[in-house]
Amino acid sequence: MTDALHILATNLRKAREQWSYLPRTLGLVWQATHGWTAAWFTLLAAQGLLPVAMVYLTRPLVDAILAAARSHGASALVRHALLLAGAVATILLLMEILRSLTVWVRTAQSELLQDHIRELIHRKSIEADMAFYDSAEFHDHLHRARTDGYYRCTALLECLGSLAQNGLALVAMAALLISFGFWLPLALIASTLPALYVVIRYNLRQHQWRMRHTGEERRADYFGRILTRAESAAEIRLFGLGDHFRQAYRALRLKLRNEAIDLAKGQSFAELAAGVLALAISGVALIWVFFRAMRGLFSLGEVALFYQAFQQGLRLASTLLENVGQLYVNSLFLGNLFAFLLLEPHIKDPVKPQPAPDRLTEGITFSDVTFRYPETERAALQNFNLNIPAGSVAAIVGPNGSGKSTLVKLLCRFYDPEAGRIAIDGIDIRDLQLSELRRTLSVLFQEPVRYNETALDNIAFGDIDTEVSHAQIRAAVEAAGSADVIAKLPRGYESLLGKTFADGCELSVGEWQRVALARAFLRQAPILILDEPTSAMDPWAEAEWLERLRSSSAGRTVLLITHRLTTAMRADMIYVVAHGRLVESGSHDELLAGAGLYADSWAAQQGCLPA
C-alpha cells in the first residue's frame, strides 16, 4: 500500500510539472483562434447544463405520468405531463442543435490552430542553425514537434473543453445526489480514484516510452521513405535492396509494436481492475437506494431520478478521467513542441552590424581558420589561410573531404569557425547582418534543390525579393547555358518541373543543374560561388559554358569549386586544398611546373598516370 501511494505521489508530482505547458497552450490557442474559442466555450457550457436539466425533469415527469394514469386521464394532469414531456423534447432538440454547431465551430478552430502551429514550426526550422541539422537530437526534436505539434494542441483543447463540460455536469449531478444522502457524491468520487491512478501512471509510461524510442521511430520512417521515394527507386531495383529494407523495417516495427502492445495490455488489465472496483462501489449505492424505496422512503420518480443521476454521474466521472488522462498525455507531448520552439540559433546578427559592400574592392580572406563540424573530432579546416582578390575568377580544387565545400558553408555563415577570421573587403563576416551577408553571395550548391515548381519559378527563386524582368531571366538562362533545356519543355518557362505533381516534366541530372545555374546567375551578387558547376556536363557542354563564364560574370568575384582540372585551368588563380589546408596556389602553368599535387592530378586526369 505504501509503495502504491509513493508511486501515485511521484506520478502526481510529475503530472504537476507538466501542467506548466497548459497555460502556454491556451495562450497559443487564444492567439490563433480567439473568436472561435469564445464561441466554443459558450456552446460547451450550454451542452454541460442541458443534460442536468434533462435529469432534473425525470422525477416530475415520471410522477406526472403516474398521477395522470391514476386519475384516469384528468385533463389538468395530462396537460401537466404533456408540458413536462414537451420540455424534455425541447431540451433534446437544443442538444442536437448545439452538437451540430459545436462540430462546425471545432472544425474551424482546429484548422486555424493547426495552420498556426505549422507556421511556428516552419519559422523555427528556417531560423535554426545548419549545425542543428547535424545533430540526431535536433532531428528527434523536429520529429516529435511535427508528429505531435500538429494535432496535440487541438486534442488538448478538445480534452479541456470536454473536461469543462463534463465537470460542470458532474458537479450538478453531485448536487442532485446530495438530496439522497451526503455520502453518495463521496462514493461517486471514491469509485473514480483507482481509475485516476491508472490514467496518470500509464499515460506517463506511454510518454516515457515515446521519448525513448523516437530515434527508432525515425529510423523506421527512414526505411519506409527509402522503399517508397522516387529518388531511391532505381538503386532499390538494380541492387535488389527491396527485401533488405523491407526486413529492416519489419524487424524494427515488430519491436516497437510488441512493446506498445505490452504497454497497452498492462493498461487494459489495470483499467479492468479499476472498473470492477468502481462497479462494486456503485452497486452498494444502488442496493441502499433499493432498500430505501422498498420501505417507502423514496417515490418511483425519486428512484428514477437517483438512477439517472448516479448512472450519469458514473459516466461523467469516467469520461472526466479519460479527459484528465488525455489532457495530461497531450500536455506531456506538447512539451516536445515547446522544447523545439525554444531552440535558439547560435548564428545571429551582430548588435551593431556594419554595411555590406555592394561591390568588392579588396576580396575574400580566410585567416587562420579552424573548423570542425558538430559532434565531429576531425577538423575540416585547420589553420586555413586563403586570399582571393576582388574581381578574379578563383578555382578551388582538391581531393574529396579536403574542405572545399566547407569553405562555402563558412562564407555563407551557415557555421562559425572555432578559430580564425573570414573577411569580405576587410570586414569580418560576423560583423555583417546575416541577410545582408547572404545578399552579397549567389551560390550553386553541390546538390542544388529540385523545386517542383515551374521553370520560371525555379530560376526566379534566385532573387525572390526583387521584381525581375523576363529579360533578366533570359540573360541568366543564357549565362548558365540553359536555353536549350527551356526550349525543349512543352510550355517553356511555364512548364512544371519534376514528377511529384500532375503534368510535371522530369529533367536529367545535367538539365536540373543547368536550371540551378541559371538561378545562381540571376542574383546580381558581387560574389558568385559555383560548387561543381560542370559535374553533370559532358565535355562539349563544359567547354561551351566555360567560354561564356567570364563575360557573364564580369565585375564579380567568382569561386569555382571543382574536381575537374579542365574547369580549374581557366581560372585566374588555382588554390589546391588537402587535409583542411591550402597546399598550393598559382596559375595552371605555374602549378604544372611546380610538380606538386596539382600536377600529379592533372597527369592522372589526362591519362598520363593511372587514376
Side-chain angles (χ1 to χ4, degrees), residues 286-594:
L286 288 172
I287 291 171
W288 178 79
V289 169
F290 173 75
F291 280 110
R292 298 275 290 179
M294 292 295 291
R295 293 166 55 191
L297 298 176
F298 290 148
S299 69
L300 185 59
E302 287 174 322
V303 172
L305 172 62
F306 170 82
Y307 179 78
Q308 282 273 46
F310 202 84
Q311 288 301 111
Q312 288 277 17
L314 284 174
R315 183 188 62 79
L316 288 169
S318 174
T319 306
L320 203 66
L321 283 175
E322 185 179 338
N323 297 150
V324 169
Q326 289 301 315
L327 188 67
Y328 176 49
V329 74
N330 286 318
S331 181
L332 285 171
F333 283 107
L334 278 172
N336 301 325
L337 171 64
F338 290 117
F340 176 77
L341 295 179
L342 285 174
L343 290 173
E344 284 293 329
H346 299 294
I347 308 294
K348 296 182 179 180
D349 287 326
V351 178
K352 295 181 179 179
Q354 296 190 39
D358 294 327
R359 184 185 181 90
L360 267 63
T361 57
E362 298 178 27
I364 303 166
T365 305
F366 286 75
S367 303
D368 295 321
V369 171
T370 296
F371 172 73
R372 290 175 177 80
Y373 285 101
E375 302 180 10
T376 304
E377 293 184 4
R378 184 179 68 87
L381 297 176
Q382 184 72 46
N383 298 325
F384 185 86
N385 291 280
L386 176 66
N387 183 41
I388 300 173
S392 65
V393 177
I396 300 174
V397 301
N400 287 332
S402 59
K404 302 187 301 298
S405 295
T406 300
L407 297 176
V408 180
K409 296 174 183 177
L410 291 176
L411 191 55
C412 293
R413 210 179 163 213
F414 296 150
Y415 303 87
D416 278 339
E418 63 183 67
R421 180 175 182 266
I422 303 170
I424 296 176
D425 273 3
I427 304 171
D428 192 319
I429 63 173
R430 287 171 291 198
D431 293 330
L432 299 174
Q433 193 171 345
L434 282 170
S435 59
E436 290 299 312
L437 166 65
R438 291 167 185 170
R439 285 293 303 174
T440 67
L441 305 165
S442 188
V443 182
L444 170 71
F445 291 102
Q446 190 170 1
E447 296 181 2
V449 177
R450 301 178 180 184
Y451 297 101
N452 279 241
E453 302 285 350
T454 65
L456 180 65
D457 285 339
N458 263 272
I459 299 166
F461 285 160
D463 203 356
I464 195 70
D465 296 324
T466 304
E467 191 70 33
V468 295
S469 65
H470 282 287
Q472 290 172 302
I473 294 284
R474 285 194 295 272
V477 167
E478 289 296 331
S482 309
D484 58 333
V485 177
I486 304 299
K488 289 190 296 185
L489 296 173
R491 298 178 60 197
Y493 286 101
E494 297 303 319
S495 300
L496 187 67
L497 303 186
K499 284 292 187 180
T500 301
F501 305 109
D503 300 323
C505 305
E506 189 55 86
L507 303 180
S508 69
V509 174
E511 288 172 332
W512 274 113
Q513 188 179 47
R514 296 285 192 94
V515 172
L517 262 174
R519 183 161 65 241
F521 274 109
L522 179 67
R523 175 179 283 194
Q524 296 303 304
I527 301 173
L528 178 62
I529 304 173
L530 306 175
D531 195 348
E532 300 292 355
T534 60
S535 61
M537 294 184 188
D538 55 53
W540 296 274
E542 178 189 16
E544 180 187 351
W545 177 77
L546 288 170
E547 287 178 5
R548 290 195 303 269
L549 177 62
R550 284 192 179 275
S551 60
S552 60
S553 61
R556 304 192 194 188
T557 303
V558 181
L559 275 69
L560 285 173
I561 298 173
T562 181
H563 283 94
R564 289 190 177 185
L565 301 188
T566 51
T567 300
M569 65 182 291
R570 291 173 169 81
D572 298 320
M573 183 68 73
I574 302 169
Y575 301 91
V576 184
V577 179
H579 307 296
R581 296 176 183 272
L582 180 64
V583 295
E584 292 180 295
S585 63
S587 68
H588 174 70
D589 291 335
E590 290 170 343
L591 290 172
L592 287 183

Side-chain angles (χ1 to χ4, degrees), residues 13-250:
R13 177 179 54 78
K14 292 179 179 178
R16 188 171 61 252
E17 293 171 358
Q18 297 302 322
W19 295 138
S20 62
Y21 295 116
L22 187 57
R24 297 181 62 187
T25 303
L26 294 178
L28 191 67
V29 170
W30 186 256
Q31 180 184 0
T33 64
H34 50 273
W36 292 101
T37 299
W40 181 58
F41 271 110
T42 302
L43 289 169
L44 288 177
Q47 285 181 291
L49 292 174
L50 284 176
V52 179
M54 185 81 169
V55 171
Y56 181 77
L57 288 174
T58 300
R59 178 171 58 186
L61 178 60
V62 171
D63 289 341
I65 292 173
L66 285 174
R70 289 169 181 167
S71 68
H72 303 291
S75 58
L77 294 176
V78 171
R79 279 197 303 272
H80 180 60
L82 289 175
L83 185 63
L84 290 171
V88 169
T90 301
I91 290 173
L92 290 172
L93 178 61
L94 283 173
M95 289 171 68
E96 288 302 318
I97 293 172
L98 292 179
R99 189 177 294 113
S100 298
L101 286 174
T102 302
V103 170
W104 169 51
V105 170
R106 282 292 298 112
T107 300
Q109 185 188 38
S110 174
E111 291 295 325
L112 283 169
L113 181 59
Q114 289 190 48
D115 284 345
H116 181 68
I117 291 171
R118 287 189 178 98
E119 172 63 24
L120 292 176
I121 292 175
H122 295 164
R123 187 185 306 161
K124 178 58 66 174
S125 298
I126 294 170
E127 292 173 357
D129 292 339
M130 290 289 287
F132 285 153
Y133 288 91
D134 298 322
S135 165
E137 183 181 359
F138 172 78
H139 286 285
D140 286 347
H141 276 301
L142 181 59
H143 176 80
R144 289 192 290 256
R146 283 192 306 207
T147 301
D148 299 321
Y150 292 154
Y151 72 92
R152 290 286 181 183
C153 266
T154 303
L156 184 141
L157 190 62
E158 183 75 39
C159 293
L160 190 64
S162 185
L163 187 68
Q165 177 182 341
N166 293 320
L168 183 63
L170 184 60
V171 168
M173 292 297 179
L176 289 177
L177 289 173
I178 287 177
S179 62
F180 292 91
F182 73 91
W183 65 274
L184 288 171
L186 297 178
L188 190 62
I189 293 171
S191 68
T192 64
L193 291 179
L196 176 63
Y197 168 76
V198 172
V199 163
I200 292 176
R201 182 182 181 188
Y202 279 92
N203 280 322
L204 181 60
R205 289 181 63 183
Q206 183 187 42
H207 175 258
Q208 292 170 338
W209 181 84
R210 281 287 307 279
M211 294 291 285
R212 286 196 307 271
H213 295 289
T214 300
E216 291 171 303
E217 287 183 337
R218 284 200 303 110
R219 192 158 185 81
D221 287 344
Y222 165 74
F223 290 144
R225 290 196 303 272
I226 285 289
L227 288 165
T228 56
R229 291 180 66 176
E231 290 83 350
S232 53
E235 286 204 8
I236 289 292
R237 285 155 178 76
L238 177 65
F239 296 118
L241 301 176
D243 286 341
H244 168 78
F245 284 111
R246 282 177 55 219
Q247 290 170 9
Y249 177 83
R250 194 160 49 235

